Amino acid sequence: VFQKVVGIIIGKTDVKSFPDRKNASVDRFTFGFTIKDSPDFFINVTAWGNDRYITGLTNSFSIGDCVTIENALISTKDPEKGDRFSPATPSHYRLLVTEAHSLVSLCADMDTTDRLLPLIHLPVKDSTDFYPLGDIVANGQKLDGSVINILAAVKLIGETKQFTTSDGRKGQRLEVKLFDDSVSSFPLVCWDREAIQLMQTLIPKETLLFIADAKISFDSFRSSMVATVNSRSIITVNPDTKEASLLFSYAKEVSESGALDQDETPEDVPVESITDVYTVRQLKQKAQENPEVFFGITFSFISKLDLDSSVSKCFNLVCFLLCLNQVFSTTTGFDLLVDLSDHTGTLQACYLRSPVAEKTLGCTVKEFISLTDDERTAMKWRLLLERCKIYVKILPSTKIKTGVRGTILACSLAHPGEVKQHMSALLQH
């Protein structure tokens, strides 16, 4: 018997029931939780009892609470039995809590609670031992069935879906979209009520997660990799690590730019199907009046194009999977922000990305990198001085001052006759 231990709850599983071995007509109930009392030490606790006791106990505390456990039984871990479904811990033992012997209560000592609270932000695994989302995507089905650690930011929290299995058991499912500096959207699935409740408290685009022992699998329905939280997983919210701090800075920047909103918009339509022509002012007005994504043509010129700034600012890294021969590679693509202007105003910070950027600039990334500063400046001014026919996707966004974000789908020099015809029609309206 362990007299007394105080720790902070860092993980918790759902209640499960099993027929009693001594009396098959009676069910025994159980759930597990993991407590931590120092940066390096944490231990699993299993509670057993009848429905009333276990239901009352599990409802009495949540992840992030500090608890005092008195008179817990000590048991050696058995990796061949239940412990293989529990989080990995540095201890060879686990604690057993029962109604007859033990007492679990919220810690009443505020000094102890204040000392323990920072531990909730320390991952249970080495802070450098994780897969970037880009590596998971690049490895593809090679990781199918693997258990790995993930550090990522929360992009979107979906709605909890309730369901009933064929044998009458009720369940729930929640999908969370993650992102980092290598992938803009990656699915994380939660089935346990405890994990779902934790996720529902998080603030998208402002929260980071270190997920220890997430299961990675290939989802054949969507032909992509998916991470799943299971009974072995420990989720650390806003981890206090150097790696998390760097990712948080990136997440804040990309969130404020509105780029995350852009990624969740509908797929682009074929350029040839876009026929509506707008002035810049009309694009802005429609975006303010209509919260939906729309597409259009504008006869305007590029009024800002920083081709002669730092070369690194012109690109991002894109991962490509060549399915035919299972070769994985990373390449570089253009990622530019440009302003579009006409006689009615300016639409700021529109995306000009690969492969549209290559066609617009008339060169590949490799060719662009080899250009001198003077050659890049000359390329910039060739575009700035010409009126273009520009196909755009417009996304209303509350994240940026202008309230609108545009992506260029195609850009070419405009034919003078075409410009005159459309501008005359617009002026009549």
Side-chain angles (χ1 to χ4, degrees), residues 263-287:
D263 290 332
E264 289 301 316
T265 63
E267 293 296 317
D268 296 341
V269 300
V271 168
E272 55 270 19
S273 70
I274 302 172
T275 57
D276 294 333
V277 180
Y278 301 87
T279 63
V280 167
R281 181 189 297 158
Q282 288 170 336
L283 287 173
K284 291 181 176 180
Q285 287 175 342
K286 183 166 182 177

Side-chain angles (χ1 to χ4, degrees), residues 43-298:
I43 195 169
N44 292 326
V45 185
T46 305
W48 285 92
N50 58 38
D51 186 7
R52 179 191 57 79
Y53 170 66
I54 292 299
T55 300
L57 184 59
T58 192
N59 290 335
S60 68
F61 58 81
S62 302
I63 294 173
D65 286 338
C66 294
V67 297
T68 300
I69 303 173
E70 299 179 63
N71 298 324
L73 302 174
I74 302 172
S75 172
T76 303
K77 286 200 297 191
D78 185 348
E80 298 302 317
K81 293 186 178 178
D83 288 293
R84 65 192 176 101
F85 302 110
S86 302
T89 66
S91 172
H92 295 296
Y93 304 95
R94 59 188 170 103
L95 302 181
L96 295 178
V97 168
T98 63
E99 185 175 16
H101 298 94
S102 318
L103 179 65
V104 181
S105 58
L106 293 175
C107 180
D109 185 344
M110 291 309 298
D111 289 339
T112 301
T113 298
D114 290 343
R115 176 181 64 82
L116 292 173
L117 279 176
L119 300 178
I120 198 72
H121 298 294
L122 298 181
V124 297
K125 298 289 185 76
D126 182 348
S127 65
T128 64
D129 178 19
F130 64 90
Y131 271 71
L133 299 179
D135 287 359
I136 299 174
V137 173
N139 278 283
Q141 295 188 51
K142 290 181 180 179
L143 284 177
D144 187 30
S146 300
V147 175
I148 64 172
N149 308 323
I150 296 172
L151 173 66
V154 176
K155 179 179 184 179
L156 195 67
I157 300 172
E159 294 183 6
T160 302
K161 310 289 186 183
Q162 307 290 339
F163 61 87
T164 303
T165 62
S166 56
D167 58 357
R169 290 180 294 120
K170 294 189 179 299
Q172 60 286 313
R173 181 185 188 276
L174 174 69
E175 183 166 314
V176 175
K177 292 286 176 51
L178 305 176
F179 73 97
D180 64 8
D181 55 1
S182 62
V183 169
S184 63
S185 188
F186 188 90
L188 173 72
V189 178
C190 303
W191 299 94
D192 280 5
R193 184 174 288 104
E194 291 292 340
I196 290 174
Q197 288 176 350
L198 175 64
M199 292 296 176
Q200 289 172 331
T201 66
L202 307 181
I203 303 175
K205 303 172 187 174
E206 297 181 18
T207 306
L208 261 60
L209 301 177
F210 187 103
I211 307 162
D213 291 336
K215 185 175 181 181
I216 301 297
S217 55
F218 179 75
D219 185 330
S220 56
F221 178 75
R222 46 183 149 189
S223 297
S224 65
M225 305 306 292
V226 175
T228 304
V229 173
N230 58 36
S231 59
R232 291 183 59 85
S233 308
I234 295 286
I235 302 170
T236 303
V237 178
N238 291 330
D240 183 12
T241 67
K242 183 177 74 172
E243 295 77 16
S245 178
L246 291 171
L247 180 55
F248 182 79
S249 297
Y250 170 81
K252 187 172 186 291
E253 179 183 340
V254 75
S255 176
E256 290 175 351
S257 75
L260 292 177
D261 300 329
Q262 186 79 13
D263 290 332
E264 289 301 316
T265 63
E267 293 296 317
D268 296 341
V269 300
V271 168
E272 55 270 19
S273 70
I274 302 172
T275 57
D276 294 333
V277 180
Y278 301 87
T279 63
V280 167
R281 181 189 297 158
Q282 288 170 336
L283 287 173
K284 291 181 176 180
Q285 287 175 342
K286 183 166 182 177
Q288 291 172 354
E289 297 166 1
N290 179 14
E292 302 298 323
V293 173
F294 67 96
F295 301 84
I297 300 169
T298 176

Side-chain angles (χ1 to χ4, degrees), residues 197-429:
Q197 288 176 350
L198 175 64
M199 292 296 176
Q200 289 172 331
T201 66
L202 307 181
I203 303 175
K205 303 172 187 174
E206 297 181 18
T207 306
L208 261 60
L209 301 177
F210 187 103
I211 307 162
D213 291 336
K215 185 175 181 181
I216 301 297
S217 55
F218 179 75
D219 185 330
S220 56
F221 178 75
R222 46 183 149 189
S223 297
S224 65
M225 305 306 292
V226 175
T228 304
V229 173
N230 58 36
S231 59
R232 291 183 59 85
S233 308
I234 295 286
I235 302 170
T236 303
V237 178
N238 291 330
D240 183 12
T241 67
K242 183 177 74 172
E243 295 77 16
S245 178
L246 291 171
L247 180 55
F248 182 79
S249 297
Y250 170 81
K252 187 172 186 291
E253 179 183 340
V254 75
S255 176
E256 290 175 351
S257 75
L260 292 177
D261 300 329
Q262 186 79 13
D263 290 332
E264 289 301 316
T265 63
E267 293 296 317
D268 296 341
V269 300
V271 168
E272 55 270 19
S273 70
I274 302 172
T275 57
D276 294 333
V277 180
Y278 301 87
T279 63
V280 167
R281 181 189 297 158
Q282 288 170 336
L283 287 173
K284 291 181 176 180
Q285 287 175 342
K286 183 166 182 177
Q288 291 172 354
E289 297 166 1
N290 179 14
E292 302 298 323
V293 173
F294 67 96
F295 301 84
I297 300 169
T298 176
F299 288 91
S300 55
F301 56 90
I302 297 174
S303 54
K304 182 180 179 183
L305 179 61
D306 290 335
L307 292 182
D308 43 7
S309 63
S310 170
V311 175
S312 62
K313 291 183 179 179
C314 299
F315 309 111
N316 65 2
L317 289 177
V318 184
C319 292
F320 287 93
L321 167 59
L322 307 180
C323 298
L324 191 61
N325 54 12
Q326 294 296 303
V327 174
F328 305 96
S329 64
T330 302
T331 188
T332 304
F334 284 105
D335 190 9
L336 299 163
L337 287 176
V338 304
D339 291 355
L340 306 181
S341 299
D342 65 7
H343 64 289
T344 66
T346 298
L347 185 62
Q348 296 177 317
C350 293
Y351 287 110
L352 178 61
R353 290 170 166 159
S354 298
V356 179
E358 279 91 337
K359 295 179 181 178
T360 303
L361 299 177
C363 71
T364 65
V365 170
K366 186 176 181 181
E367 290 167 344
F368 181 84
I369 292 173
S370 67
L371 295 177
T372 65
D373 290 343
D374 288 343
E375 288 171 331
R376 281 195 286 269
T377 300
M379 175 185 290
K380 163 184 167 178
W381 283 105
R382 280 200 304 273
L383 287 166
L384 289 179
L385 295 173
E386 298 290 345
R387 186 177 291 276
C388 298
K389 182 179 183 181
I390 302 174
Y391 293 79
V392 290
K393 176 169 75 172
I394 299 296
L395 169 72
S397 174
T398 59
K399 297 291 185 182
I400 53 178
K401 291 180 180 179
T402 59
V404 57
R405 172 73 74 196
T407 296
I408 297 173
L409 304 179
C411 177
S412 59
L413 295 180
H415 189 277
E418 193 176 27
V419 175
K420 186 176 180 180
Q421 176 187 347
H422 284 291
M423 295 308 290
S424 298
L426 288 169
L427 290 171
Q428 289 174 7
H429 285 86

